[in-house]
Amino acid sequence: MNVDRIISLLRQAKHISEETVYTLCLRAQELLMNESNVTRVDTPVTICGDIHGQLHDLLTLFDKSGGLEKSRYIFLGDFVDRGFYSLESFLLLLCYKLRYPDRITLIRGNHETRQITKVYGFYDEVMRKYGNSNVWRYCCEVFDYLSLGAIVNGQVFCVHGGLSPDIGTIDEIRSIDRKQEVPHEGAMCDLLWSDPDEVDSWSLSPRGAGFLFGKNEVDQFLARNDVELIARAHQLVMEGYKEMFDGGLVTVWSAPNYCYRCGNIAAVLRIDDNLERQYTIFEAVQPQNGVGNPIIPTKKPQMDYFL
């Protein structure tokens, strides 16, 4: 299997054969199963938020932030759903993982599940492109092997959603059996679904899964684990990133003009060797030559969704 050739095809949103996807997913599983629930990553590193199938904006992200030949990356999940190129976006990241295993860390988001992808676009996209659900099934099996978090230089904890009342230490995350569909409740669910908010204590999330947590919970987690920052994604931020709780937590969002209509800008966060933070913001790819938009297919998505 020629990974470089597949990367070239995916960057052009070209069709990949079902057999190739199967082989790619199998090799990715073999690689990912050896990674810890919380992957250790060295600086310098670029932390990226939700992508949501916006392939051309993902390519812009790499262009603006140096690319894998020069930089190390952590992606905080939600590679699929809502955008029109979920498959190409996810497979491209898998190819990069195979090509540069030490330069890219992929963390599971709440959309990397069978149940959510059946509702929010990825399953339908695969059915439209292949006429059957095999490729969707192969990708879902890879989802089960994605890490639940990462720790940068022992100081920056990276997760898709947030904290859990069932988790006090990062070591406790390492003991979770992650190789499964995400449960509807419990620690693994919370890590993928929870959100920071101006609350005094844990409260149930309006999303229907996970919790809302406030400054007290963040401060306790940082102190107990001797880390100085929680970097997470999961929530649309119009400015691309948002720091909260005296800089102890940051939300990074990397899908510009989310759902092709939200009008937001996107950002990535670079952490250097001194743990200094540098944000790079970027806008959505614009239509070419003013004639239509070659990036967005004419097929309208079936529903509006803002979970």
Side-chain angles (χ1 to χ4, degrees):
M1 184 174 70
N2 187 333
V3 175
D4 286 335
R5 181 176 173 277
I6 299 169
I7 288 171
S8 175
L9 291 172
L10 288 168
R11 287 177 63 91
Q12 301 170 68
K14 296 282 182 65
H15 184 81
I16 306 297
S17 74
E18 188 177 311
E19 184 182 359
T20 301
V21 176
Y22 175 74
T23 305
L24 193 60
C25 288
L26 210 58
R27 282 185 55 185
Q29 275 175 257
E30 291 168 358
L31 184 62
L32 292 167
M33 72 171 59
N34 294 315
E35 293 196 346
S36 164
N37 283 358
V38 183
T39 307
R40 296 180 189 277
V41 182
D42 295 325
T43 52
V45 64
T46 299
I47 299 172
C48 312
D50 293 29
I51 301 301
H52 280 302
Q54 297 181 201
L55 174 69
H56 300 85
D57 297 315
L58 174 60
L59 298 180
T60 300
L61 181 159
F62 282 123
D63 288 343
K64 296 280 187 183
S65 58
L68 278 155
E69 295 79 6
K70 299 177 183 175
S71 303
R72 200 178 283 117
Y73 288 83
I74 297 172
F75 282 86
L76 299 176
D78 280 12
F79 315 111
V80 300
D81 284 339
R82 297 187 173 138
F84 292 108
Y85 298 95
S86 289
L87 180 66
E88 291 81 2
S89 299
F90 182 59
L91 292 182
L92 179 62
L93 290 171
L94 284 190
C95 283
Y96 280 144
K97 180 68 180 173
L98 291 170
R99 183 74 174 76
Y100 308 101
D102 298 326
R103 292 211 187 143
I104 184 167
T105 299
L106 303 177
I107 292 174
R108 192 173 192 172
N110 65 305
H111 278 262
E112 275 72 61
T113 70
R114 292 158 184 82
Q115 186 176 4
I116 296 295
T117 52
K118 275 215 163 180
V119 177
Y120 291 107
F122 182 42
Y123 177 85
D124 293 336
E125 176 186 321
V126 170
M127 289 296 292
R128 192 168 67 245
K129 290 174 177 175
Y130 290 87
N132 65 63
S133 64
N134 291 344
V135 162
W136 171 78
R137 200 159 39 81
Y138 304 151
C139 291
C140 288
E141 285 164 7
V142 178
F143 294 163
D144 292 344
Y145 287 88
L146 294 170
S147 293
L148 301 178
I151 186 84
V152 178
N153 278 23
Q155 291 295 301
V156 179
F157 174 61
C158 302
V159 66
H160 176 69
L163 303 180
S164 169
D166 294 339
I167 293 289
T169 67
I170 291 171
D171 277 343
E172 289 168 22
I173 301 173
R174 293 190 172 100
S175 65
I176 296 172
D177 175 16
R178 78 174 191 266
K179 298 175 180 68
Q180 57 172 316
E181 177 77 343
V182 178
H184 292 291
E185 58 186 16
M188 181 172 170
C189 169
D190 298 343
L191 293 168
L192 274 58
W193 281 93
S194 293
D195 293 301
D197 206 340
E198 301 298 337
V199 291
D200 294 329
S201 185
W202 299 104
S203 58
L204 289 175
S205 171
R207 294 179 186 265
F211 288 84
L212 299 180
F213 58 94
K215 186 177 189 303
N216 289 338
E217 288 69 44
V218 169
D219 287 347
Q220 286 173 17
F221 185 88
L222 295 177
R224 192 180 289 131
N225 292 280
D226 194 24
V227 298
E228 63 177 59
L229 175 66
I230 297 168
R232 46 87 67 177
H234 193 42
Q235 281 177 300
L236 170 64
V237 181
M238 295 302 290
E239 300 81 18
Y241 69 93
K242 181 183 181 182
E243 292 191 352
M244 297 176 69
F245 311 139
D246 300 326
L249 178 143
V250 63
T251 299
V252 182
W253 185 266
S254 301
N257 194 26
Y258 180 43
C259 294
Y260 308 112
R261 60 190 172 84
C262 282
N264 61 287
I265 56 177
V268 295
L269 165 59
R270 181 175 172 84
I271 306 282
D272 69 17
D273 290 333
N274 299 314
L275 296 181
E276 296 290 330
R277 310 173 195 179
Q278 178 187 351
Y279 296 96
T280 299
I281 61 171
F282 60 99
E283 297 183 349
V285 178
Q286 296 299 313
Q288 295 167 4
N289 304 326
V291 281
N293 190 336
I295 290 163
I296 305 172
T298 52
K299 184 176 175 63
K300 195 179 185 306
Q302 289 178 313
M303 64 178 88
D304 292 341
Y305 24 62
F306 280 87
L307 185 64

